[in-house]
Amino acid sequence: MSVPRTGSETPRERRPTAPDGIVVVDKPAGWTSHDVVARMRRLAGTRKVGHAGTLDPMATGVLVVGIGRATRLLTYVVGADKDYTATIRLGVTTTTDDAEGEPVAHADARAVPRAEVDAGAAALTGEIAQVPSAVSAIKVDGQRAYARVRAGESVELAARPVTIARFEVLDVQVPDDAPATLDVDVAVTCSSGTYVRALARDLGAGLGVGGHLTALRRTRVGGYGLAEARTLDELGATPPDRPLDVLPLGDAARAIFPVRELTPGEAAALSYGKRIDATGPDVPGLVAGVAPDGTLVALLEPAGAHARPVLVFAPA
């Protein structure tokens, strides 16, 4: 995809390298997550840029981007739960379970009562076994499922456990452009690995009329939400002689992990990779060790009477 430039950026300008940190991007429709990373590399003045959790081109909203050493945090962001708002069109089934696919079946969904739509969403709430869309990025024998489908192969993916904490119907209406269908606006909170497209497909199948996703907006990933997000136009408007503003490592870690406030001595010991006494938050998983000045020193895990550094961000 040829990505247009935005803001004040020109081909000859190169910004000062951005500091290590997180940028929450409000991804526009029509862009792949890879497109966003390519733009962010130019805006951040470095190739060390990555993202946490792919969004389909038709989707918009929160895409967490790591710059510099913050890319090492992205593994933990990917596994966080997520919030979405979406629109599901009942009455039409597509090849991709969303509006980018070709219609393969039609049914008149106008007579489906709102109560049945609510009940169908409730049946897909909780811990469920979900079969991902055949055009997902899941690998089958080393190749992406969507690539196999585009090559004409028939792909069947195994169901896998996901948790849908919220699948709430917000509104139901008959759209003007397709009067035999129903558009269902929903809010979803789900675990990592959930496909909202598959929820749309399964809601329609359960109601006997089929369905597909027509709009998707991610509003939160873990501790990062739309309130912190900036559009690419806003980011591109940063003056070319100023580094991009980022969420510093220490603040970025606070959005993901419990925090242990370190003493200067503990921060120094961890910077050498040493263990420290096991005090601080009594949690079984990782804890962010933050120095008195707010610097992220290391991620820690319990090790008996000690806390052991798993990943050191502020080496001596």
Side-chain angles (χ1 to χ4, degrees):
M1 173 178 175
S2 177
V3 178
R5 296 178 180 273
T6 62
S8 60
E9 186 186 14
T10 70
R12 296 183 179 180
E13 292 174 345
R14 178 185 173 88
R15 300 184 193 281
T17 301
D20 300 330
I22 291 290
V23 177
V24 183
V25 177
D26 187 347
K27 188 189 87 64
W31 288 58
T32 68
S33 298
H34 179 75
D35 293 333
V36 174
V37 168
R39 172 60 58 81
M40 291 301 296
R41 284 174 174 155
R42 293 195 293 272
L43 293 176
T46 177
R47 292 197 57 80
K48 195 170 183 181
V49 176
H51 72 81
T54 300
L55 276 175
D56 290 336
M58 69 169 274
T60 66
V62 172
L63 185 68
V64 179
V65 174
I67 297 171
R69 288 180 298 162
T71 56
R72 303 166 77 187
L73 289 174
L74 296 180
T75 298
Y76 308 101
V77 180
V78 169
D81 64 339
K82 301 169 178 67
D83 286 341
Y84 296 91
T85 56
T87 300
I88 297 167
R89 177 157 291 183
L90 298 177
V92 180
T93 304
T94 73
T95 54
T96 59
D97 302 327
D98 63 21
E100 296 187 336
E102 295 297 322
V104 293
H106 293 81
D108 192 333
R110 289 173 295 182
V112 177
R114 167 65 186 265
E116 290 188 14
V117 178
D118 289 333
L124 293 169
T125 303
E127 296 182 1
I128 66 171
Q130 184 183 73
V131 177
S133 172
V135 291
S136 69
I138 295 172
K139 286 189 175 181
V140 179
D141 296 330
Q143 190 175 8
R144 301 290 185 187
Y146 63 75
R148 290 182 173 274
V149 171
R150 289 171 182 169
E153 296 183 34
S154 178
V155 175
E156 292 186 9
L157 299 175
R160 55 186 189 174
V162 296
T163 301
I164 312 300
R166 181 189 185 198
F167 189 11
E168 181 183 356
V169 177
L170 304 176
D171 191 26
V172 176
Q173 55 189 329
V174 176
D176 294 335
D177 62 333
T181 65
L182 280 181
D183 277 355
V184 182
D185 295 331
V186 300
V188 176
T189 298
C190 56
S191 62
S192 177
T194 300
Y195 285 86
V196 183
R197 280 182 292 163
L199 284 179
R201 175 201 66 204
D202 294 343
L203 178 64
L207 293 169
V209 294
H212 70 281
L213 194 68
T214 62
L216 181 66
R217 183 160 176 77
R218 189 157 66 191
T219 58
R220 181 184 63 86
V221 176
Y224 306 108
L226 282 174
E228 299 83 39
R230 289 174 284 172
T231 66
L232 290 172
D233 283 339
E234 290 170 339
L235 292 165
T238 303
D241 60 347
R242 198 184 84 188
L244 198 66
D245 288 333
V246 305
L247 187 66
L249 285 174
D251 294 335
R254 290 179 186 274
I256 313 170
F257 305 102
V259 171
R260 174 169 172 175
E261 306 289 351
L262 303 171
T263 66
E266 290 171 337
L270 288 171
S271 70
Y272 284 99
K274 296 181 179 179
R275 300 183 178 196
I276 60 176
D277 290 340
T279 59
D282 184 17
V283 294
L286 294 178
V287 171
V290 177
D293 64 357
T295 301
L296 175 63
V297 179
L299 299 183
L300 312 173
E301 69 176 4
H306 297 89
R308 182 179 73 87
V310 175
L311 200 56
V312 176
F313 287 87

PDB file of all heavy atoms in Angstrom, residues 60-89:
ATOM      1  N   THR A  60     -10.841   0.631  13.122  1.00  0.00           N
ATOM      2  CA  THR A  60     -10.203   1.860  13.591  1.00  0.00           C
ATOM      3  C   THR A  60      -9.934   1.722  15.091  1.00  0.00           C
ATOM      4  O   THR A  60     -10.363   0.777  15.732  1.00  0.00           O
ATOM      5  CB  THR A  60     -11.099   3.092  13.349  1.00  0.00           C
ATOM      6  OG1 THR A  60     -12.281   2.983  14.171  1.00  0.00           O
ATOM      7  CG2 THR A  60     -11.515   3.197  11.898  1.00  0.00           C
ATOM      8  N   GLY A  61      -9.220   2.708  15.632  1.00  0.00           N
ATOM      9  CA  GLY A  61      -9.066   2.765  17.078  1.00  0.00           C
ATOM     10  C   GLY A  61      -7.692   2.423  17.584  1.00  0.00           C
ATOM     11  O   GLY A  61      -6.692   2.567  16.877  1.00  0.00           O
ATOM     12  N   VAL A  62      -7.641   1.976  18.821  1.00  0.00           N
ATOM     13  CA  VAL A  62      -6.407   1.872  19.588  1.00  0.00           C
ATOM     14  C   VAL A  62      -5.432   0.851  19.004  1.00  0.00           C
ATOM     15  O   VAL A  62      -5.738  -0.342  18.916  1.00  0.00           O
ATOM     16  CB  VAL A  62      -6.714   1.516  21.056  1.00  0.00           C
ATOM     17  CG1 VAL A  62      -5.425   1.219  21.818  1.00  0.00           C
ATOM     18  CG2 VAL A  62      -7.489   2.649  21.730  1.00  0.00           C
ATOM     19  N   LEU A  63      -4.280   1.349  18.586  1.00  0.00           N
ATOM     20  CA  LEU A  63      -3.153   0.508  18.189  1.00  0.00           C
ATOM     21  C   LEU A  63      -1.962   0.968  19.021  1.00  0.00           C
ATOM     22  O   LEU A  63      -1.516   2.117  18.898  1.00  0.00           O
ATOM     23  CB  LEU A  63      -2.852   0.643  16.702  1.00  0.00           C
ATOM     24  CG  LEU A  63      -1.763  -0.293  16.169  1.00  0.00           C
ATOM     25  CD1 LEU A  63      -2.234  -1.745  16.197  1.00  0.00           C
ATOM     26  CD2 LEU A  63      -1.353   0.099  14.751  1.00  0.00           C
ATOM     27  N   VAL A  64      -1.468   0.106  19.897  1.00  0.00           N
ATOM     28  CA  VAL A  64      -0.367   0.458  20.788  1.00  0.00           C
ATOM     29  C   VAL A  64       0.948   0.244  20.055  1.00  0.00           C
ATOM     30  O   VAL A  64       1.247  -0.867  19.588  1.00  0.00           O
ATOM     31  CB  VAL A  64      -0.407  -0.389  22.077  1.00  0.00           C
ATOM     32  CG1 VAL A  64       0.761  -0.016  22.989  1.00  0.00           C
ATOM     33  CG2 VAL A  64      -1.735  -0.172  22.805  1.00  0.00           C
ATOM     34  N   VAL A  65       1.724   1.313  19.940  1.00  0.00           N
ATOM     35  CA  VAL A  65       2.981   1.286  19.201  1.00  0.00           C
ATOM     36  C   VAL A  65       4.133   1.520  20.173  1.00  0.00           C
ATOM     37  O   VAL A  65       4.101   2.461  20.976  1.00  0.00           O
ATOM     38  CB  VAL A  65       2.985   2.363  18.092  1.00  0.00           C
ATOM     39  CG1 VAL A  65       4.345   2.438  17.411  1.00  0.00           C
ATOM     40  CG2 VAL A  65       1.889   2.067  17.074  1.00  0.00           C
ATOM     41  N   GLY A  66       5.142   0.657  20.111  1.00  0.00           N
ATOM     42  CA  GLY A  66       6.332   0.805  20.953  1.00  0.00           C
ATOM     43  C   GLY A  66       7.494   1.341  20.150  1.00  0.00           C
ATOM     44  O   GLY A  66       7.699   0.956  18.992  1.00  0.00           O
ATOM     45  N   ILE A  67       8.256   2.228  20.759  1.00  0.00           N
ATOM     46  CA  ILE A  67       9.423   2.834  20.119  1.00  0.00           C
ATOM     47  C   ILE A  67      10.657   2.542  20.964  1.00  0.00           C
ATOM     48  O   ILE A  67      10.634   2.681  22.195  1.00  0.00           O
ATOM     49  CB  ILE A  67       9.240   4.353  19.960  1.00  0.00           C
ATOM     50  CG1 ILE A  67       8.045   4.643  19.038  1.00  0.00           C
ATOM     51  CG2 ILE A  67      10.500   5.012  19.414  1.00  0.00           C
ATOM     52  CD1 ILE A  67       7.659   6.102  18.982  1.00  0.00           C
ATOM     53  N   GLY A  68      11.748   2.133  20.304  1.00  0.00           N
ATOM     54  CA  GLY A  68      12.993   1.843  21.004  1.00  0.00           C
ATOM     55  C   GLY A  68      12.838   0.678  21.959  1.00  0.00           C
ATOM     56  O   GLY A  68      12.284  -0.367  21.623  1.00  0.00           O
ATOM     57  N   ARG A  69      13.313   0.860  23.182  1.00  0.00           N
ATOM     58  CA  ARG A  69      13.254  -0.224  24.162  1.00  0.00           C
ATOM     59  C   ARG A  69      11.831  -0.592  24.556  1.00  0.00           C
ATOM     60  O   ARG A  69      11.594  -1.678  25.098  1.00  0.00           O
ATOM     61  CB  ARG A  69      14.061   0.156  25.410  1.00  0.00           C
ATOM     62  CG  ARG A  69      15.573   0.152  25.193  1.00  0.00           C
ATOM     63  CD  ARG A  69      16.293   0.539  26.477  1.00  0.00           C
ATOM     64  NE  ARG A  69      15.925   1.894  26.888  1.00  0.00           N
ATOM     65  CZ  ARG A  69      16.100   2.380  28.118  1.00  0.00           C
ATOM     66  NH1 ARG A  69      16.614   1.616  29.069  1.00  0.00           N
ATOM     67  NH2 ARG A  69      15.754   3.626  28.397  1.00  0.00           N
ATOM     68  N   ALA A  70      10.874   0.277  24.277  1.00  0.00           N
ATOM     69  CA  ALA A  70       9.473  -0.028  24.604  1.00  0.00           C
ATOM     70  C   ALA A  70       8.939  -1.186  23.776  1.00  0.00           C
ATOM     71  O   ALA A  70       7.920  -1.779  24.136  1.00  0.00           O
ATOM     72  CB  ALA A  70       8.604   1.209  24.405  1.00  0.00           C
ATOM     73  N   THR A  71       9.595  -1.521  22.663  1.00  0.00           N
ATOM     74  CA  THR A  71       9.147  -2.683  21.887  1.00  0.00           C
ATOM     75  C   THR A  71       9.235  -3.954  22.727  1.00  0.00           C
ATOM     76  O   THR A  71       8.527  -4.928  22.461  1.00  0.00           O
ATOM     77  CB  THR A  71       9.982  -2.852  20.610  1.00  0.00           C
ATOM     78  OG1 THR A  71      11.370  -2.948  20.951  1.00  0.00           O
ATOM     79  CG2 THR A  71       9.773  -1.668  19.668  1.00  0.00           C
ATOM     80  N   ARG A  72      10.078  -3.946  23.758  1.00  0.00           N
ATOM     81  CA  ARG A  72      10.212  -5.132  24.621  1.00  0.00           C
ATOM     82  C   ARG A  72       9.003  -5.305  25.536  1.00  0.00           C
ATOM     83  O   ARG A  72       8.776  -6.380  26.096  1.00  0.00           O
ATOM     84  CB  ARG A  72      11.502  -5.016  25.443  1.00  0.00           C
ATOM     85  CG  ARG A  72      12.751  -4.862  24.591  1.00  0.00           C
ATOM     86  CD  ARG A  72      13.939  -4.420  25.406  1.00  0.00           C
ATOM     87  NE  ARG A  72      14.515  -5.508  26.168  1.00  0.00           N
ATOM     88  CZ  ARG A  72      15.498  -5.358  27.080  1.00  0.00           C
ATOM     89  NH1 ARG A  72      15.967  -4.138  27.346  1.00  0.00           N
ATOM     90  NH2 ARG A  72      15.963  -6.393  27.724  1.00  0.00           N
ATOM     91  N   LEU A  73       8.200  -4.249  25.668  1.00  0.00           N
ATOM     92  CA  LEU A  73       6.977  -4.334  26.479  1.00  0.00           C
ATOM     93  C   LEU A  73       5.791  -4.867  25.688  1.00  0.00           C
ATOM     94  O   LEU A  73       4.788  -5.292  26.267  1.00  0.00           O
ATOM     95  CB  LEU A  73       6.613  -2.954  27.032  1.00  0.00           C
ATOM     96  CG  LEU A  73       7.488  -2.360  28.136  1.00  0.00           C
ATOM     97  CD1 LEU A  73       7.036  -0.937  28.433  1.00  0.00           C
ATOM     98  CD2 LEU A  73       7.429  -3.214  29.395  1.00  0.00           C
ATOM     99  N   LEU A  74       5.891  -4.839  24.370  1.00  0.00           N
ATOM    100  CA  LEU A  74       4.725  -5.129  23.540  1.00  0.00           C
ATOM    101  C   LEU A  74       4.219  -6.553  23.716  1.00  0.00           C
ATOM    102  O   LEU A  74       3.014  -6.813  23.577  1.00  0.00           O
ATOM    103  CB  LEU A  74       5.050  -4.860  22.069  1.00  0.00           C
ATOM    104  CG  LEU A  74       5.375  -3.401  21.726  1.00  0.00           C
ATOM    105  CD1 LEU A  74       5.679  -3.266  20.248  1.00  0.00           C
ATOM    106  CD2 LEU A  74       4.229  -2.474  22.122  1.00  0.00           C
ATOM    107  N   THR A  75       5.122  -7.491  24.012  1.00  0.00           N
ATOM    108  CA  THR A  75       4.703  -8.875  24.246  1.00  0.00           C
ATOM    109  C   THR A  75       3.645  -8.953  25.330  1.00  0.00           C
ATOM    110  O   THR A  75       2.691  -9.749  25.238  1.00  0.00           O
ATOM    111  CB  THR A  75       5.905  -9.742  24.655  1.00  0.00           C
ATOM    112  OG1 THR A  75       6.845  -9.738  23.589  1.00  0.00           O
ATOM    113  CG2 THR A  75       5.488 -11.166  24.962  1.00  0.00           C
ATOM    114  N   TYR A  76       3.768  -8.117  26.340  1.00  0.00           N
ATOM    115  CA  TYR A  76       2.848  -8.148  27.471  1.00  0.00           C
ATOM    116  C   TYR A  76       1.561  -7.382  27.165  1.00  0.00           C
ATOM    117  O   TYR A  76       0.511  -7.678  27.730  1.00  0.00           O
ATOM    118  CB  TYR A  76       3.536  -7.583  28.711  1.00  0.00           C
ATOM    119  CG  TYR A  76       4.866  -8.253  28.985  1.00  0.00           C
ATOM    120  CD1 TYR A  76       6.070  -7.638  28.640  1.00  0.00           C
ATOM    121  CD2 TYR A  76       4.923  -9.527  29.539  1.00  0.00           C
ATOM    122  CE1 TYR A  76       7.280  -8.268  28.864  1.00  0.00           C
ATOM    123  CE2 TYR A  76       6.138 -10.163  29.764  1.00  0.00           C
ATOM    124  CZ  TYR A  76       7.307  -9.525  29.422  1.00  0.00           C
ATOM    125  OH  TYR A  76       8.512 -10.162  29.626  1.00  0.00           O
ATOM    126  N   VAL A  77       1.645  -6.403  26.257  1.00  0.00           N
ATOM    127  CA  VAL A  77       0.449  -5.665  25.861  1.00  0.00           C
ATOM    128  C   VAL A  77      -0.458  -6.545  25.001  1.00  0.00           C
ATOM    129  O   VAL A  77      -1.686  -6.511  25.123  1.00  0.00           O
ATOM    130  CB  VAL A  77       0.827  -4.379  25.098  1.00  0.00           C
ATOM    131  CG1 VAL A  77      -0.430  -3.607  24.688  1.00  0.00           C
ATOM    132  CG2 VAL A  77       1.737  -3.496  25.942  1.00  0.00           C
ATOM    133  N   VAL A  78       0.150  -7.352  24.126  1.00  0.00           N
ATOM    134  CA  VAL A  78      -0.620  -8.200  23.218  1.00  0.00           C
ATOM    135  C   VAL A  78      -1.599  -9.090  23.977  1.00  0.00           C
ATOM    136  O   VAL A  78      -2.724  -9.331  23.537  1.00  0.00           O
ATOM    137  CB  VAL A  78       0.326  -9.057  22.348  1.00  0.00           C
ATOM    138  CG1 VAL A  78      -0.444 -10.137  21.599  1.00  0.00           C
ATOM    139  CG2 VAL A  78       1.089  -8.181  21.371  1.00  0.00           C
ATOM    140  N   GLY A  79      -1.180  -9.582  25.125  1.00  0.00           N
ATOM    141  CA  GLY A  79      -2.013 -10.510  25.879  1.00  0.00           C
ATOM    142  C   GLY A  79      -3.087  -9.866  26.728  1.00  0.00           C
ATOM    143  O   GLY A  79      -3.856 -10.572  27.391  1.00  0.00           O
ATOM    144  N   ALA A  80      -3.194  -8.541  26.709  1.00  0.00           N
ATOM    145  CA  ALA A  80      -4.174  -7.845  27.547  1.00  0.00           C
ATOM    146  C   ALA A  80      -5.581  -7.966  26.959  1.00  0.00           C
ATOM    147  O   ALA A  80      -5.762  -8.210  25.767  1.00  0.00           O
ATOM    148  CB  ALA A  80      -3.796  -6.374  27.687  1.00  0.00           C
ATOM    149  N   ASP A  81      -6.592  -7.779  27.812  1.00  0.00           N
ATOM    150  CA  ASP A  81      -7.967  -7.790  27.309  1.00  0.00           C
ATOM    151  C   ASP A  81      -8.254  -6.496  26.562  1.00  0.00           C
ATOM    152  O   ASP A  81      -7.506  -5.517  26.675  1.00  0.00           O
ATOM    153  CB  ASP A  81      -8.970  -8.015  28.443  1.00  0.00           C
ATOM    154  CG  ASP A  81      -8.969  -6.884  29.463  1.00  0.00           C
ATOM    155  OD1 ASP A  81      -7.969  -6.137  29.539  1.00  0.00           O
ATOM    156  OD2 ASP A  81      -9.957  -6.741  30.198  1.00  0.00           O
ATOM    157  N   LYS A  82      -9.329  -6.497  25.795  1.00  0.00           N
ATOM    158  CA  LYS A  82      -9.597  -5.397  24.877  1.00  0.00           C
ATOM    159  C   LYS A  82     -11.083  -5.039  24.876  1.00  0.00           C
ATOM    160  O   LYS A  82     -11.930  -5.891  25.128  1.00  0.00           O
ATOM    161  CB  LYS A  82      -9.148  -5.774  23.464  1.00  0.00           C
ATOM    162  CG  LYS A  82      -7.661  -6.113  23.368  1.00  0.00           C
ATOM    163  CD  LYS A  82      -7.300  -6.744  22.041  1.00  0.00           C
ATOM    164  CE  LYS A  82      -5.802  -7.022  21.958  1.00  0.00           C
ATOM    165  NZ  LYS A  82      -5.359  -8.073  22.912  1.00  0.00           N
ATOM    166  N   ASP A  83     -11.367  -3.764  24.574  1.00  0.00           N
ATOM    167  CA  ASP A  83     -12.737  -3.277  24.403  1.00  0.00           C
ATOM    168  C   ASP A  83     -12.952  -2.867  22.956  1.00  0.00           C
ATOM    169  O   ASP A  83     -12.048  -2.282  22.322  1.00  0.00           O
ATOM    170  CB  ASP A  83     -13.007  -2.044  25.276  1.00  0.00           C
ATOM    171  CG  ASP A  83     -13.165  -2.373  26.746  1.00  0.00           C
ATOM    172  OD1 ASP A  83     -13.425  -3.541  27.077  1.00  0.00           O
ATOM    173  OD2 ASP A  83     -13.028  -1.441  27.565  1.00  0.00           O
ATOM    174  N   TYR A  84     -14.152  -3.153  22.445  1.00  0.00           N
ATOM    175  CA  TYR A  84     -14.518  -2.758  21.088  1.00  0.00           C
ATOM    176  C   TYR A  84     -15.944  -2.234  21.065  1.00  0.00           C
ATOM    177  O   TYR A  84     -16.773  -2.640  21.879  1.00  0.00           O
ATOM    178  CB  TYR A  84     -14.481  -3.957  20.133  1.00  0.00           C
ATOM    179  CG  TYR A  84     -13.140  -4.589  19.916  1.00  0.00           C
ATOM    180  CD1 TYR A  84     -12.707  -5.637  20.722  1.00  0.00           C
ATOM    181  CD2 TYR A  84     -12.307  -4.157  18.880  1.00  0.00           C
ATOM    182  CE1 TYR A  84     -11.475  -6.243  20.517  1.00  0.00           C
ATOM    183  CE2 TYR A  84     -11.070  -4.769  18.663  1.00  0.00           C
ATOM    184  CZ  TYR A  84     -10.659  -5.804  19.486  1.00  0.00           C
ATOM    185  OH  TYR A  84      -9.446  -6.400  19.280  1.00  0.00           O
ATOM    186  N   THR A  85     -16.236  -1.369  20.109  1.00  0.00           N
ATOM    187  CA  THR A  85     -17.604  -1.133  19.676  1.00  0.00           C
ATOM    188  C   THR A  85     -17.678  -1.618  18.231  1.00  0.00           C
ATOM    189  O   THR A  85     -16.697  -1.523  17.483  1.00  0.00           O
ATOM    190  CB  THR A  85     -18.009   0.348  19.756  1.00  0.00           C
ATOM    191  OG1 THR A  85     -17.088   1.135  18.995  1.00  0.00           O
ATOM    192  CG2 THR A  85     -18.007   0.818  21.209  1.00  0.00           C
ATOM    193  N   ALA A  86     -18.832  -2.163  17.845  1.00  0.00           N
ATOM    194  CA  ALA A  86     -18.944  -2.773  16.519  1.00  0.00           C
ATOM    195  C   ALA A  86     -20.373  -2.719  16.036  1.00  0.00           C
ATOM    196  O   ALA A  86     -21.310  -2.534  16.814  1.00  0.00           O
ATOM    197  CB  ALA A  86     -18.464  -4.226  16.574  1.00  0.00           C
ATOM    198  N   THR A  87     -20.528  -2.884  14.729  1.00  0.00           N
ATOM    199  CA  THR A  87     -21.847  -3.032  14.121  1.00  0.00           C
ATOM    200  C   THR A  87     -21.884  -4.349  13.368  1.00  0.00           C
ATOM    201  O   THR A  87     -20.989  -4.642  12.565  1.00  0.00           O
ATOM    202  CB  THR A  87     -22.170  -1.876  13.166  1.00  0.00           C
ATOM    203  OG1 THR A  87     -22.139  -0.641  13.896  1.00  0.00           O
ATOM    204  CG2 THR A  87     -23.550  -2.054  12.547  1.00  0.00           C
ATOM    205  N   ILE A  88     -22.905  -5.141  13.647  1.00  0.00           N
ATOM    206  CA  ILE A  88     -23.104  -6.440  13.011  1.00  0.00           C
ATOM    207  C   ILE A  88     -24.354  -6.352  12.138  1.00  0.00           C
ATOM    208  O   ILE A  88     -25.408  -5.894  12.606  1.00  0.00           O
ATOM    209  CB  ILE A  88     -23.291  -7.538  14.078  1.00  0.00           C
ATOM    210  CG1 ILE A  88     -22.025  -7.668  14.929  1.00  0.00           C
ATOM    211  CG2 ILE A  88     -23.660  -8.869  13.433  1.00  0.00           C
ATOM    212  CD1 ILE A  88     -22.214  -8.497  16.186  1.00  0.00           C
ATOM    213  N   ARG A  89     -24.233  -6.761  10.893  1.00  0.00           N
ATOM    214  CA  ARG A  89     -25.407  -6.790  10.010  1.00  0.00           C
ATOM    215  C   ARG A  89     -25.933  -8.214   9.947  1.00  0.00           C
ATOM    216  O   ARG A  89     -25.268  -9.121   9.443  1.00  0.00           O
ATOM    217  CB  ARG A  89     -25.059  -6.278   8.617  1.00  0.00           C
ATOM    218  CG  ARG A  89     -26.221  -6.346   7.629  1.00  0.00           C
ATOM    219  CD  ARG A  89     -26.060  -5.369   6.477  1.00  0.00           C
ATOM    220  NE  ARG A  89     -26.193  -3.985   6.942  1.00  0.00           N
ATOM    221  CZ  ARG A  89     -26.146  -2.933   6.117  1.00  0.00           C
ATOM    222  NH1 ARG A  89     -25.973  -3.115   4.815  1.00  0.00           N
ATOM    223  NH2 ARG A  89     -26.264  -1.701   6.609  1.00  0.00           N
TER     224      ARG A  89
END
